[in-house]
Amino acid sequence: MSQRLWEILLDSFPKILLPGLTMTIPLTVISFSLALVIALITALIQIGEVPVLRKIARFYIWVIRGTPLLVQLYVVFYGLPNLGLMIDPFPSAIIVFSLNEGAYCAETVRAAITSVPSDQMDCARALGLSWLQAMRHVILPQAFRTAFPPLSNSLIGMVKDTSLAANITVMEMFMVTQRIASKHYEHLALYIEVALIYLLFCTVLTKVQSRVEKKLSSYGF
């Protein structure tokens, strides 16, 4: 490896890491937080007793899971302006990532809720709790332990998926890497460098996931 390449990598590292911390991570956190809200609402609708809402929820999941994430980004950012709706790159990415991840997480949450024995709900209702109270105090705490590992994996996956936001001009760290690589013509080394930064982020999240799972086990959840 030449001296020039080392200098490029050393110089580019903070330039790539900074948008990773200020754009990639916030995009992931905000989008995933909204996705969890969407997922919980959608999952509760699916196991609820309102057929119309259940069909709408199933349609939403069907459409989102059946179309590519990149296409969804293009539809929102490049397609909606044709209808007179202009949305900036970062909010567009949040909208798409939230809706996309919400559809997948909804199935995870629904499966976790339905895995709780039905007699838990019966006992809660017999004690005078409403359906929502039973869900909040009895069912969801038990479902959380089941859902936590796959939801954590979804979060880790979203960190990597945010690189697609470069296609709608979001200045996250992959787009910054593309620009640096185009300037210096050292694509292989720079793409490996950004891959290692993604790996670092995902490794940290994996360690956190492992510790939280141990905490949940020790607390009996």
Side-chain angles (χ1 to χ4, degrees):
M1 186 176 292
S2 65
Q3 180 66 26
R4 171 182 173 274
L5 182 56
W6 271 114
E7 292 176 354
I8 291 173
L9 292 176
L10 290 175
D11 180 67
S12 63
F13 181 79
K15 295 179 181 178
I16 297 173
L17 181 62
L18 182 59
L21 297 174
T22 60
M23 189 64 71
T24 299
I25 295 302
L27 177 59
T28 302
V29 172
I30 295 172
S31 298
F32 195 75
S33 299
L34 293 174
L36 289 180
V37 175
I38 294 171
L40 179 59
I41 294 173
T42 305
L44 291 177
I45 288 174
Q46 288 190 86
I47 62 177
E49 301 176 353
V50 183
V52 175
L53 293 179
R54 187 159 56 236
K55 289 181 180 180
I56 293 174
R58 292 305 306 169
F59 179 78
Y60 154 66
I61 293 173
W62 172 65
V63 170
I64 294 298
R65 299 207 307 173
T67 54
L69 175 57
L70 183 58
V71 173
Q72 295 166 16
L73 285 167
Y74 272 61
V75 167
V76 171
F77 185 69
Y78 295 111
L80 291 184
N82 291 335
L83 301 177
L85 184 58
M86 302 287 293
I87 306 177
D88 290 336
F90 189 74
S92 295
I94 289 177
I95 291 171
V96 174
F97 285 127
S98 299
L99 291 174
N100 182 275
E101 198 64 41
Y104 286 93
C105 292
E107 291 297 271
T108 299
V109 174
R110 180 188 60 80
I113 292 175
T114 56
S115 70
V116 178
S118 58
D119 58 1
Q120 296 289 311
M121 176 62 77
D122 296 335
C123 292
R125 297 302 297 272
L127 292 173
L129 297 179
S130 66
W131 186 85
L132 287 176
Q133 288 174 329
M135 274 290 172
R136 177 183 176 185
H137 299 290
V138 179
I139 305 301
L140 290 180
Q142 297 181 67
F144 175 72
R145 180 182 177 183
T146 303
F148 181 79
L151 290 178
S152 300
N153 292 335
S154 296
L155 174 61
I156 293 172
M158 180 178 279
V159 172
K160 296 173 289 184
D161 288 342
T162 55
S163 61
L164 292 175
N167 291 277
I168 60 170
T169 71
V170 175
M171 287 297 294
E172 45 74 59
M173 62 181 182
F174 184 67
M175 186 173 186
V176 172
T177 304
Q178 287 180 309
R179 293 190 173 186
I180 297 174
S182 298
K183 177 181 178 181
H184 296 287
Y185 298 98
E186 293 290 352
H187 295 83
L188 177 60
L190 287 165
Y191 287 147
I192 290 176
E193 183 175 45
V194 73
L196 292 175
I197 296 177
Y198 277 111
L199 180 61
L200 174 62
F201 287 169
C202 293
T203 300
V204 171
L205 288 175
T206 301
K207 295 294 184 181
V208 173
Q209 175 189 8
S210 178
R211 291 193 176 188
V212 173
E213 287 182 8
K214 290 180 180 179
K215 288 287 185 180
L216 291 175
S217 299
S218 64
Y219 291 150
F221 286 107

